[in-house]
Each structure stands twice: as C-alpha cells, then as structure tokens.
Amino acid sequence: MADNSSRTSIPQSCSDQITVSQVRATLDQWYPPSLAESWDAPGLVCGDPDDTVKRIVCALEATDTVVDAAIEAHADMLVVHHPLLMRGATSVAADTPKGRIVHRLIRHRIALMSAHTNADAAVGGVNDVLARLLGVTVECPLEPAAQPVDLWGVQVPVDAAEALRNALFGAGAGQFDGYDLCSFESVGRGQFRPLSGSHPALGTTNQVETVEEVRIHVVAPAMMRSTIRKALVDAHPYEVPAYDVKTIDSGSRPGPATPGIGRIGHLDEPMTLRSFTQRVSERLPHTVWGVRTAGNPDQLITTVALCSGAGDSLLDAAAASGADVYLTSDLRHHPADEHLRANGPALIDTAHWASESPWCADVARRLHDELGLPCQDLGIRTDPWTIGTTVAQ
C-alpha cells in the first residue's frame, strides 16, 4: 500500500472530459518521444485512448505495490518513468510477473504510460528536476541530443512577404541559438503559367505571368515540419505555393534549453566535496544504498555534471566537461577507478531510484496544473535494496 503521509494534497473538483489520449499528448509534448534512445520503449503500454481520465497517479515504475495503490486511489491512469515492457515480451499471461500487472491494470481500467529516456533528455525533465533539487543551475546538457533542423525556402509576392513571414514565426520558425524572428530574404523574379483548371491568385489561364517575389529562408525544428507547412500554405496567397525544405546541421551552441542526457551547471554556492555530498544525502530520498563519494573531501566544488539513473556510460563526457564532480547512479568499480586514474572529476554515486524519483512529484504537479485533474505522486519507494550495513573500523 502507499504511504499516505507522502502524498500531495489533491483537489476534488475536476473536468470529466479529459481522455487518456489527451494526457498522452500532454506528456509527449513535454517529453517528446523523438528524444528517446533507440533501445527504449516509452509510451502507452495499456489503456483505451478514448477512456475518460478523472484521476492520475505517478510512480517510478509499475510494481505490484504501485498497482495496489493505484487501484486503492481509484486512478484512471498511472504515469511511470521506467517502461514495464522495455526489454520486450513474448507473453503477457496473467501468471507471469509483468503479465499479472498488465491484466490487473486492464481489469481496473487503469491506463499505463511511461516517459523514460525522453523524460531524461527533455528540458524540464528528470535531469532538470534533479539539478534544481541539488541547487545546480543548468548551463547545458552533458550529452546534447541530436536536433535535426529544417531550412525552409519559400517564394512569395513582395506585398505578401510580411504576412507570410509573421505566420512562419507564429508557427515556431525562425528561432535559433538564443534568438527569434530570424530570417533571410532575397528578391527575384518568379514566372509561371496557370493551366486549365487552376485558380490562380495572380495571372490568366494559359498565359505566362512574371511577378516580383521575395524568397524567405527560415529554420525550424524538424519535428515541427507539419505545423510549419500548414502555416505556410494557409498564409500564402498562391493556390500552389512554391517552397522547399531540407534538413541541416544547425551548428547551434548547446544551452539550458537544449535537450539531451545529463546536465552541466554551477552550484548556487561553492562548497567542499564533503559538504556537497552531505547536501546530496539530505536532499535526495533516503535509501539503504546511501550516497558514496570518490575524491578529495576538501576539494572545492563549483561546477557539477550529473546524470539521473545509470550514468557510467557518460564518464568520458563528464571528464571532458571540466566539471569538478560528476553525480550519477549505479557506478561500477572498474569504470570508476579508471576514470579517477585518468584525473577525471570526483564522483558521487547515488541509488538509481533516489536520483530519479523526485521527478514523480514534479510530473504530478505539472499534470494537475495543466489538466486540472487530481494527480498525485504515490510516494512509493520502489528501490529494490532493503538492507544496508557498515562495519566499524
């Protein structure tokens, strides 16, 4: 059962018009599935997209205890970080551990959705929650996500250029590396001949028409291609606009608004490694794993690299970042030892659950604020470790 003392206070009034599909769309907007690693499997695991959602609960993963609590809370949807079926399955029979959970959720009409590495990489996601909790002001991601950028080119009559340009900006185009309303224009002569059956805004059927036109160039995230195209077509005066689009390397500098795995940032106040370790221990949820540190306890810490969850694959990125310390989870002996021998930053190793679970309360708050639904972090400790011992020296 859930620990009621850890639950947030939930208002009772809510709209009965929100559906599973709408909650999914909201989560996908915050944590775009395109940011997920290729091996990952976030998204809707079970549930009818058309079902009404009146109450949402959140947890790090869908365990039997979490499902018990979701049923007890009369939830219609369970939002988790770790996908239940991430490694694939050949059966969801009710007598298998994962199948048992799927059957119970479906039987009680509880939809299950996960946001995993897409929530790790997204701005405002798991890593940003962790950084904020530890007093780290984010400067950029530790490993920026590849962000395909479209370069659009469109010809438009001179007197319609401003309206079209503003429509493109309004749809999200023209934003680049800390600037917006960015475009480039060149003037030229356009030529076309309307054929029978066309309905030209300018010109006469079967006669060649020449028009002074402006070619507008703008950039936009590739994921917004359909939105930009619709804005272009709707705002363009021609029956058939002439435009082209190609994907390019934006060359932009990573910054706080750049998605990616992990974060690099500076502490709100410099402190020793010993003091920062103490802060981490006090601010993260308690686990028997505790917090382990490798490095000089008296070293001054001003810059922190961090990665929620298992992050030893980013040890090289942490070393290249110039940070004073790298905080992550599930560090192994040999990679950590080799990292320190190569004069990499000090290491802080936390429990996997502890570094990620603060996100649960944050996503619950955001869903409540956005959708007006009762939404709560179940506050259930799903860390698998139950006993921790130390031997006095």
Side-chain angles (χ1 to χ4, degrees):
M1 298 298 177
D3 179 2
N4 290 328
S5 65
S6 65
R7 298 182 184 179
T8 54
S9 175
I10 302 297
Q12 296 303 306
S13 62
C14 68
S15 167
D16 60 357
Q17 302 300 313
I18 302 297
T19 64
V20 169
S21 179
Q22 289 172 292
V23 179
R24 175 171 62 180
T26 298
L27 291 167
D28 284 349
Q29 180 181 8
W30 293 342
Y31 317 118
S34 60
L35 293 176
E37 298 292 323
S38 59
W39 48 262
D40 199 8
L44 191 64
V45 176
C46 64
D48 186 336
D50 294 328
D51 276 356
T52 297
V53 176
K54 295 184 177 180
R55 182 177 293 271
I56 304 171
V57 293
C58 303
L60 198 68
E61 48 235 330
T63 64
D64 288 297
T65 303
V66 166
V67 174
D68 286 342
I71 294 170
E72 181 185 358
H74 304 288
D76 304 296
M77 192 163 185
L78 170 61
V79 175
V80 299
H81 184 48
H82 293 148
L84 179 66
L85 304 177
M86 183 172 67
R87 300 302 181 194
T90 58
S91 170
V92 287
D95 60 353
T96 62
K98 293 184 177 182
R100 177 176 65 243
I101 288 175
V102 171
H103 277 261
R104 294 188 66 208
L105 290 169
I106 293 175
R107 190 176 300 121
H108 289 86
R109 296 190 72 84
I110 301 174
L112 173 63
M113 181 165 176
S114 66
H116 192 210
T117 54
N118 51 322
D120 290 328
V123 175
V126 182
N127 279 289
D128 285 314
V129 172
L130 177 62
R132 185 165 61 244
L133 181 64
L134 298 179
V136 176
T137 300
V138 172
E139 297 169 0
C140 62
L142 183 56
E143 185 177 72
Q147 289 291 289
V149 173
D150 284 340
L151 175 63
W152 292 79
V154 55
Q155 289 82 251
V156 62
V158 172
D159 59 2
E162 182 176 1
L164 179 61
R165 187 190 319 113
N166 289 337
L168 294 172
F169 291 157
Q175 300 183 31
F176 180 77
D177 203 9
Y179 294 82
D180 66 1
L181 307 182
C182 301
S183 67
F184 176 79
E185 299 177 6
S186 56
V187 179
R189 188 181 70 171
Q191 175 179 301
F192 53 88
R193 182 171 66 176
L195 300 178
S196 298
S198 62
H199 300 86
L202 296 172
T204 304
T205 302
N206 294 320
Q207 293 187 17
V208 174
E209 181 73 21
T210 58
V211 183
E212 186 180 20
E213 294 181 332
V214 172
R215 180 168 170 84
I216 300 174
H217 295 272
V218 292
V219 294
M223 69 179 66
M224 298 179 63
R225 183 173 294 183
S226 61
T227 301
I228 303 299
R229 179 182 288 112
K230 184 178 187 305
L232 186 158
V233 172
D234 289 348
H236 204 289
Y238 287 175
E239 180 184 24
V240 182
Y243 67 90
D244 56 82
V245 56
K246 61 182 178 180
T247 302
I248 61 171
D249 179 359
S250 71
S252 61
R253 300 166 298 173
T258 304
I261 299 296
R263 297 292 184 266
I264 303 169
H266 59 272
L267 273 177
D268 50 10
E269 57 176 325
M271 61 184 69
T272 64
L273 179 60
R274 178 186 289 106
S275 296
F276 184 56
T277 302
Q278 184 63 33
R279 172 186 282 192
V280 173
S281 179
E282 291 171 351
R283 295 190 180 183
L284 289 188
H286 175 74
T287 64
V288 299
W289 179 283
V291 177
R292 307 185 298 181
T293 296
N296 178 359
D298 296 321
Q299 176 190 354
L300 187 65
I301 303 298
T302 60
T303 305
V304 177
L306 60 84
C307 177
S308 61
D312 64 2
S313 64
L314 294 179
L315 283 168
D316 288 344
S321 73
D324 300 310
V325 64
Y326 177 43
L327 181 147
T328 189
S329 305
D330 299 345
L331 287 175
R332 296 170 295 161
H333 174 91
H334 292 296
D337 179 60
E338 292 171 6
H339 166 86
L340 295 170
R341 289 173 184 266
N343 297 316
L347 299 174
I348 297 182
D349 186 28
T350 73
H352 191 120
W353 175 82
S355 68
E356 294 182 331
S357 60
W359 172 80
C360 299
D362 186 77
V363 73
R365 174 192 59 79
R366 292 182 70 181
L367 285 168
H368 167 68
D369 291 347
E370 180 72 17
L371 302 175
L373 294 175
C375 185
Q376 67 185 97
D377 170 17
L378 290 172
I380 296 177
R381 178 184 179 275
T382 57
D383 182 46
W385 309 109
T386 57
I387 297 175
T389 63
T390 56
V391 178
Q393 298 296 319

